[in-house]
Amino acid sequence: MDEISALFHGFSVILTPMNMVLMLVGIVLGVLIGVLPGLGGANGVAILLPLTFTMSPTSAIIMLSCIYWGALFGGAITSILFNIPGEPWSVATTFDGYPMAQQGRAGQALTAAFTSSFIGAFVAVVMITFLAPLVAKFALKFGPPEYFAVYLLTFCSFVGMGKGSPFKILASMAIGFALAAVGMDTVTGQLRLTFGFPDLMRGFDFLIGVIGLFGIGEILLSMEEGLAFNGKSAKINPRVVLETWKTLPKYWITSIRSSLVGIWMGITPGGATPASFMSYGLAKKMSKDGAKFGTGQIEGVIAPETAAHAAGTSALLPMLALGIPGSPTAAVLLGGLLIWGLQPGPLLFVEQKDFVWGLIASMYLGNLVGLIVVLTTVPLFASILRIPFSIIAPVIVVICAIGAYTVHNAMLDIWFMLVFGVVGYLFKKLDYPLAPLVLALVLGDKAEDSFRQAMLVSQGELGILWSNPLVGTISTLAILLLLWPLISRLIARVRPPKRESFAEEQPVD
Amino acid sequence: MQDNETPGDTPRSGVATYVIEGVVAFAVLLLGIVVLQGSWKLGSRWTSDGPGSGYFPFYIGLILCIAGIGIFFQTVFGKNRNTEIFVDSEQLKRVLQVLVPAIVYVLVVQFVGLYVASAIYIAGFMILLGHYSPLKSILTAVIINVIFFLMFEVWFKVPLFKGSLDPLAFLGY
């Protein structure tokens, strides 16, 4: 078992006092980010990314991934205690979590949520440990056409699996690609689409986009709704935790099913949000208490939380093994890798063994530390939400501005952040998905490079995307997913569709 | 614009959502045309040594145009166009209450730097919108910014923007 010994090597890399401190700091910051409205996994990590520039890549990724785990945990706190989902993927947790808190069972709901988050993440990390090296080994054989086909598959699956208007998904994606094209052309060195502004030569950094779209946009949305927090008190004591843990094994089928749903949705860029809804829907259908869902069933908390964490964790697999992130947050981590001078992709497993296995080991440890931290500090974090919005809002805007500035030490970026914020607000209100925009902004250059290299090989023939069985299969799958909205409409015409109970509540993330 | 029957007592007034949808779709189309034109000038066709600089962006522009037109027809002429109010005046007021100070804030940052501007912004926001006492607001704002200063300049050694006037120069950072 090469993987096991590599994993133990990873543990030996990360088990230093400094890394442990960073891990703890990361988790606490992450939970804080998850609890505050307007700061989420993606933009929280983006804002804190510059803090890690002076660290070694391994320490940096440990801290950042711990922020990510913390944010995943934190989302559950607000949805259970305040009925406000701090993150889109915890919307489904509110359905049963908040009723439980209303009945005075907040402690049980929180324990169940945190524990199942941990289980979901753990299953996904085990999967990554054994699958990622295999995928990476396989991907070493990829040439430019294969890579472009994988990129195509990534973006087409947004269209095929997303809900809502396919045109809006396409538009959001193409805007990302268009912004990515601004600046210096990596192949010819020509300036593109700068329209004579020298400041545009740098191009648009996706971190600015993430901070603006998710951070400022979210603040504007929260403000529009006129937020007033009205939370249930959180009391967690060891007795409640132990008693809840005793009941959890009963729901092992739900946990396993939700983990699998989450892993699948995480690897394919479906994301944590659809995964949590899908898992909730499945649990509702399959549980014998299904009719009581929505009234405070502990199973209704377990299902979405397990799936969301499994998905959030598995999104790191394609990022590590292929260099293609499965979620906006994974995209930010990928951006971090590039900044620290690491080339994401299959070669990472060969050339940067310490880093990769350190990261995977830190996933195990980080989730465990995270579980302990959140179980012990919930009341503290819940009290943060009682700070009035008129203090929180300006502080978050300030944090976003600092984050945007530190990316390139450029004042102009703060202005761009504001523009992205307004765009994010409009797009969210009009149901344009933001994830494809961010991923296209990150991957634009690389997708274009592999496209141009593939075209150079074939002298402009698109047929190269079907030149061998491997690339042909990926491309065909991509085209199928791209046309899925049309195909499913045709199927529906031939055969009346079955009603899906949760289809309407499934936003594109 | 027609008024919509909403569950509330006061009638909400404002622009219907499909109008905004149409405007945004048009903006997407415009962006597409700009990208098309820009990449056409760069050379979006096959050059002697391979695909030109505008080769890939040209198709992106094309997708943008198609998507823009598609969204426009779907949302403005579609069967179930959304006639609900996009934002009512109350909501718009609240959004602007955040957006306008944020714009002023960034403008102030340009001159006095992030720390001073942030302190003024947080204190001002608390006094004007939160109706806190000036003393409490200023104290909170200063404390928060001292923490930021320690965190960025001292601990993590990430210098932040000091502004063209640089009022904090005496600190030596």
Side-chain angles (χ1 to χ4, degrees):
Chain A
M1 295 299 259
D2 287 346
E3 286 84 10
I4 303 276
S5 62
L7 184 63
F8 276 105
H9 174 67
F11 275 113
S12 72
V13 172
I14 61 162
L15 281 172
T16 68
M18 188 59 197
N19 284 346
M20 290 294 111
V21 172
L22 286 178
M23 197 176 261
L24 214 59
V25 172
I27 294 279
V28 174
L29 283 176
V31 181
L32 198 63
I33 284 167
V35 168
L36 290 173
L39 289 176
N43 59 347
V45 177
I47 288 167
L48 295 168
L49 193 61
L51 289 185
T52 64
F53 285 172
T54 50
M55 299 178 191
S56 77
T58 314
S59 305
I61 193 85
I62 288 173
M63 181 161 150
L64 287 182
S65 58
C66 281
I67 293 172
Y68 185 30
W69 310 136
L72 281 168
F73 278 117
I77 301 180
T78 52
S79 30
I80 290 173
L81 294 182
F82 294 85
N83 205 15
I84 301 163
E87 308 295 334
W89 56 73
S90 33
V91 174
T93 314
T94 60
F95 299 159
D96 275 284
Y98 188 63
M100 280 182 83
Q102 279 177 318
Q103 297 155 15
R105 292 192 292 150
Q108 273 149 296
L110 285 169
T111 313
F114 295 148
T115 316
S116 35
S117 305
F118 173 74
I119 291 169
F122 186 80
V123 175
V125 182
V126 172
M127 183 273 309
I128 289 184
T129 312
F130 294 99
L131 205 57
L134 287 182
V135 176
K137 210 177 275 174
F138 184 62
L140 278 176
K141 296 193 199 107
F142 280 16
E146 281 84 2
Y147 263 109
F148 181 69
V150 175
Y151 288 123
L152 197 65
L153 179 64
T154 309
F155 286 104
C156 289
S157 53
F158 275 118
V159 180
M161 297 178 21
K163 292 280 181 281
S165 161
F167 284 121
K168 285 185 177 170
I169 303 173
L170 268 183
S172 155
M173 198 185 302
I175 290 172
F177 275 117
L179 291 176
V182 174
M184 188 98 77
D185 177 6
T186 45
V187 178
T188 60
Q190 243 177 319
L191 284 183
R192 294 199 298 192
L193 305 175
T194 56
F195 303 101
F197 294 104
D199 278 317
L200 282 181
M201 210 175 95
R202 265 197 325 260
F204 289 93
D205 196 294
F206 79 99
L207 291 170
I208 312 296
V210 168
I211 294 169
L213 290 171
F214 292 99
I216 304 291
E218 195 62 46
I219 282 286
L220 294 178
L221 264 186
S222 321
M223 199 63 198
E224 181 196 296
E225 286 155 14
L227 264 195
F229 295 126
N230 213 342
K232 301 287 161 209
S233 66
K235 287 198 196 83
I236 282 201
N237 56 42
R239 217 168 46 93
V240 174
V241 173
L242 283 176
E243 270 170 16
T244 314
W245 278 353
K246 263 187 226 155
T247 64
L248 287 182
K250 263 202 307 200
Y251 305 109
W252 62 278
I253 301 184
T254 310
S255 301
I256 292 177
R257 189 189 332 110
S258 307
S259 307
L260 292 180
V261 168
I263 288 175
W264 170 248
M265 298 296 276
I267 295 179
T268 59
T273 313
S276 61
F277 281 108
M278 203 165 157
S279 165
Y280 184 84
L282 282 175
K284 192 173 174 177
K285 245 179 236 166
M286 295 188 179
S287 163
K288 54 181 191 297
D289 299 326
K292 280 193 259 168
F293 266 49
T295 59
Q297 287 292 309
I298 202 164
E299 223 180 329
V301 176
I302 296 173
E305 280 295 305
T306 315
H309 270 232
T313 313
S314 332
L316 298 181
L317 182 131
M319 179 201 97
L320 273 177
L322 300 172
I324 296 171
S327 71
T329 317
V332 178
L333 291 176
L334 182 109
L337 296 189
L338 292 173
I339 292 170
W340 305 317
L342 299 172
Q343 184 61 45
L347 275 175
L348 213 56
F349 278 83
V350 183
E351 289 170 352
Q352 300 285 345
K353 276 202 161 74
D354 278 9
F355 172 81
V356 171
W357 289 103
L359 170 60
I360 294 178
S362 85
M363 288 183 193
Y364 284 97
L365 217 55
N367 270 299
L368 190 64
V369 174
L371 179 65
I372 297 166
V373 169
V374 284
L375 278 178
T376 45
T377 54
V378 164
L380 187 73
F381 286 112
S383 64
I384 286 170
L385 272 180
R386 298 202 171 78
I387 300 175
F389 198 64
S390 49
I391 303 178
I392 299 245
V395 172
I396 291 176
V397 173
V398 168
I399 293 176
C400 288
I402 293 176
Y405 173 75
T406 46
V407 174
H408 285 300
N409 291 341
M411 194 48 218
L412 190 69
D413 283 347
I414 304 185
W415 288 110
F416 282 148
M417 174 200 78
L418 276 184
V419 176
F420 274 120
V422 175
V423 171
Y425 167 74
L426 276 177
F427 273 22
K428 266 197 188 152
K429 286 214 72 162
L430 297 179
D431 289 328
Y432 284 74
L434 293 178
L437 199 165
V438 172
L439 289 194
L441 194 48
V442 181
L443 295 175
D445 282 344
K446 290 158 94 198
E448 182 180 354
D449 283 350
S450 56
F451 179 67
R452 279 159 86 167
Q453 281 161 5
M455 287 301 112
L456 269 177
V457 174
S458 70
Q459 287 301 309
E461 286 296 324
L462 278 172
I464 193 164
L465 290 176
W466 279 269
S467 59
N468 66 48
L470 174 63
V471 69
T473 316
I474 305 176
S475 320
T476 310
L477 204 60
I479 300 295
L480 266 180
L481 277 168
L482 180 65
L483 298 177
W484 186 249
L486 281 176
I487 297 170
S488 66
R489 199 170 284 184
L490 282 180
I491 294 174
R493 196 161 287 176
V494 178
R495 218 173 34 161
K498 277 182 279 181
R499 273 184 62 84
E500 278 182 84
S501 55
F502 56 95
E504 282 170 19
E505 313 160 326
Q506 206 167 308
V508 187
D509 177 40
Chain B
M1 289 310 118
Q2 77 223 65
D3 274 359
N4 259 56
E5 54 275 65
T6 37
D9 292 333
T10 47
R12 297 168 75 213
S13 57
V15 185
T17 305
Y18 74 90
V19 178
I20 306 285
E21 290 266 20
V23 172
V24 173
F26 190 68
V28 171
L29 177 64
L30 267 186
L31 184 69
I33 292 170
V34 170
V35 173
L36 273 184
Q37 192 262 348
S39 48
W40 184 257
K41 265 204 297 196
L42 281 165
S44 54
R45 276 190 285 181
W46 203 261
T47 60
S48 54
D49 54 349
S53 287
Y55 190 72
F56 190 74
F58 185 79
Y59 289 103
I60 295 302
L62 212 60
I63 295 176
L64 273 174
C65 290
I66 295 169
I69 294 168
I71 298 168
F72 193 82
F73 278 97
Q74 259 186 353
T75 54
V76 180
F77 300 110
K79 267 179 299 193
N80 31 14
R81 68 176 187 183
N82 191 344
T83 49
E84 264 174 50
I85 304 296
F86 184 68
V87 277
D88 58 32
S89 50
E90 182 58 30
Q91 288 173 324
L92 188 66
K93 203 179 111 197
R94 283 201 292 255
V95 170
L96 289 181
Q97 269 177 349
V98 176
L99 189 60
V100 172
I103 293 169
V104 175
Y105 161 65
V106 179
L107 206 65
V108 176
V109 169
Q110 200 100 46
F111 296 104
V112 298
L114 264 164
Y115 297 113
V116 179
S118 303
I120 298 172
Y121 174 59
I122 294 173
F125 204 97
M126 283 176 69
I127 296 170
L128 294 178
L129 292 176
H131 306 295
Y132 287 92
S133 72
L135 183 72
K136 218 169 157 185
S137 310
I138 292 169
L139 210 62
T140 316
V142 170
I143 290 173
I144 290 173
N145 277 284
V146 168
I147 295 174
F148 280 148
F149 186 84
L150 290 175
M151 198 162 141
F152 286 94
E153 306 281 327
V154 184
W155 295 332
F156 285 94
K157 306 227 177 332
V158 178
L160 296 187
F161 192 61
K162 306 292 190 319
S164 44
L165 301 176
D166 197 4
L168 289 179
F170 64 92
L171 289 171
Y173 275 93

